[in-house]
Amino acid sequence: FPNQTGFYSGKVRDVYSIGADLLVMVASNRISAFDVILPRPIPYKGQVLNQIASIMLDATADICPNWKTATPHPQITIGKKCEPFKVEMVIRGYLTGHAWRTYKSGLRILCGVALPEGLKENDRLPAPIITPTTKAEEGHDQDISKEEIIAQGIVSKEHYEQLEKYTHALYTRGTELALKQGLILVDTKYEFGKTKDGQIVLIDEIHTPDSSRYFYAEGYQERQDRGEEQKQLSKEFVRRWLIENGFQGQEGQQIPDMTDTYIESVSERYIELYENILGEKFVKADIRNINERIEKNVLAFLEK
């Protein structure tokens, strides 16, 4: 692109730096799980995630300023370049996923937060808890406590406490938005950065099925009482399929074969997630000549 100063290809996004102040983030159809990029892309996944994130950033901008400037294409967000904080702020309202696996192993402290005895999988926690992780350049993100983050100088005390406030407020809003669609926002993660003038802003995607876990609210308590699995909307179904097929991202493990039928089912599931989270019909973008379309739309924005 004109005036491009950098390029970074992440697990699922390609990010172009434009000048000193702008980022062009392209949401690809790549999919990752257990911090590994799976070998086959998922049709329309990038569009699903980018459009949900764009709408959710707008819906929370009154709580916390964010990086977004424009979405000139269904798979593109353009926004302010920031210096990211090297932590992901994970907030959990329910004992699910990694938190449950930790609890089930017998541990009662997660990221420095004490958990009560007697909880079952998917139980609502007495109050939402923040369980941050380090933002790894490569490999697995690591659980870490607030105290360790501050002691190691990863984030200053003042900044971390502001991130905590934003995280709780954003999760409250996300919970309210989810309930309007008959969903429970179980857990989610937020990432933050600082602009050149020192403002803390929300970056990356929010409240998407890749960064969040949702349950259907209807029947939640009945399923808990009967000890049944919860009906959920998240990428957890991909993780479960991988675990069932002997893969958790550990050394020596082989990624199971992803058939055409399975790929199509994952794509359909992402579209279902979109429609349930936003309460609107998903319109598939024209994917013919996708690279040319993306380039044309970005150039048109930059020329302004």
Side-chain angles (χ1 to χ4, degrees):
F1 293 116
N3 202 24
Q4 181 177 321
T5 52
F7 172 74
Y8 168 74
S9 186
K11 291 182 195 125
V12 298
R13 293 182 199 79
D14 293 331
V15 183
Y16 300 82
S17 298
I18 309 296
D21 303 320
L22 274 185
L23 287 182
V24 174
M25 187 181 283
V26 181
S28 77
N29 289 333
R30 298 191 294 272
I31 185 167
S32 75
F34 301 111
D35 294 314
V36 174
I37 300 169
L38 302 184
R40 296 188 61 188
I42 306 301
Y44 301 105
K45 173 183 173 283
Q47 181 188 349
V48 164
L49 298 186
N50 195 62
Q51 290 189 175
I52 293 174
S54 178
I55 288 165
M56 290 293 184
L57 286 169
D58 290 346
T60 55
D62 60 315
I63 293 173
C64 175
N66 64 63
W67 77 289
K68 176 187 153 184
T69 302
T71 50
H73 179 278
Q75 284 179 244
I76 298 170
T77 299
I78 296 178
K80 296 187 276 268
K81 192 173 189 179
C82 306
E83 180 67 34
F85 288 100
K86 293 192 173 169
V87 292
E88 291 186 350
M89 299 297 282
V90 180
I91 183 164
R92 306 174 183 277
Y94 295 75
L95 189 65
T96 303
H98 170 64
W100 166 247
R101 290 190 282 272
T102 301
Y103 191 89
K104 190 181 176 186
S105 76
L107 296 174
R108 292 295 178 266
I109 303 286
L110 180 60
C111 300
V113 180
L115 296 168
E117 292 289 344
L119 294 178
K120 305 192 306 291
E121 184 176 12
N122 301 329
D123 273 354
R124 186 175 182 174
L125 295 169
I129 61 171
I130 294 176
T131 58
T133 65
T134 57
K135 188 74 182 129
E137 295 292 329
E138 289 181 12
H140 296 278
D141 297 339
Q142 298 293 324
D143 287 347
I144 192 168
S145 69
K146 171 183 178 176
E147 291 73 22
E148 289 170 316
I149 288 167
I150 294 166
Q152 292 177 30
I154 298 169
V155 181
S156 71
K157 183 173 185 291
E158 178 190 1
H159 282 147
Y160 188 84
E161 287 174 353
Q162 182 61 63
L163 300 188
E164 279 185 318
K165 285 178 188 168
Y166 279 147
T167 297
H168 279 292
L170 289 164
Y171 181 68
T172 298
R173 175 67 56 81
T175 299
E176 292 164 358
L177 293 169
L179 278 175
K180 286 180 183 173
Q181 303 302 329
L183 301 174
I184 294 167
L185 180 57
V186 177
D187 52 39
T188 190
K189 73 178 175 73
Y190 302 112
E191 296 185 48
F192 298 91
K194 248 194 324 186
T195 59
K196 278 200 307 188
D197 59 5
Q199 183 185 40
I200 294 176
V201 298
L202 181 62
I203 61 172
D204 204 29
E205 64 180 22
I206 71 159
H207 299 160
T208 73
D210 269 24
S211 66
S212 315
R213 194 188 323 261
Y214 291 89
F215 289 158
Y216 287 95
E218 187 178 353
Y220 163 78
Q221 196 53 56
E222 290 80 356
R223 285 187 286 276
Q224 280 303 96
D225 293 344
R226 292 194 295 262
E228 295 173 2
E229 275 196 32
Q230 288 297 332
K231 288 176 66 182
Q232 65 170 287
L233 289 167
S234 74
K235 199 171 69 170
E236 185 68 16
F237 73 94
V238 175
R239 294 188 198 100
R240 290 267 180 105
W241 179 81
L242 289 166
I243 291 169
E244 286 163 11
N245 286 276
F247 183 79
Q248 291 187 65
Q250 291 164 10
E251 203 171 325
Q253 293 182 336
Q254 287 289 109
I255 298 171
D257 183 39
M258 299 172 76
T259 64
D260 290 349
T261 303
Y262 181 69
I263 294 294
E264 189 178 337
S265 75
V266 176
S267 180
E268 288 168 358
R269 193 74 179 272
Y270 267 93
I271 290 168
E272 178 197 352
L273 296 172
Y274 176 99
E275 294 181 342
N276 279 277
I277 290 166
L278 296 181
E280 62 181 49
K281 186 80 177 155
F282 180 76
V283 179
K284 292 179 178 179
D286 189 341
I287 56 173
R288 292 171 299 173
N289 306 317
I290 185 71
N291 289 346
E292 290 89 339
R293 286 171 185 272
I294 285 174
E295 186 173 3
K296 180 183 171 188
N297 289 22
V298 172
L299 287 172
F301 174 85
L302 294 177
E303 282 167 11
K304 292 178 189 172

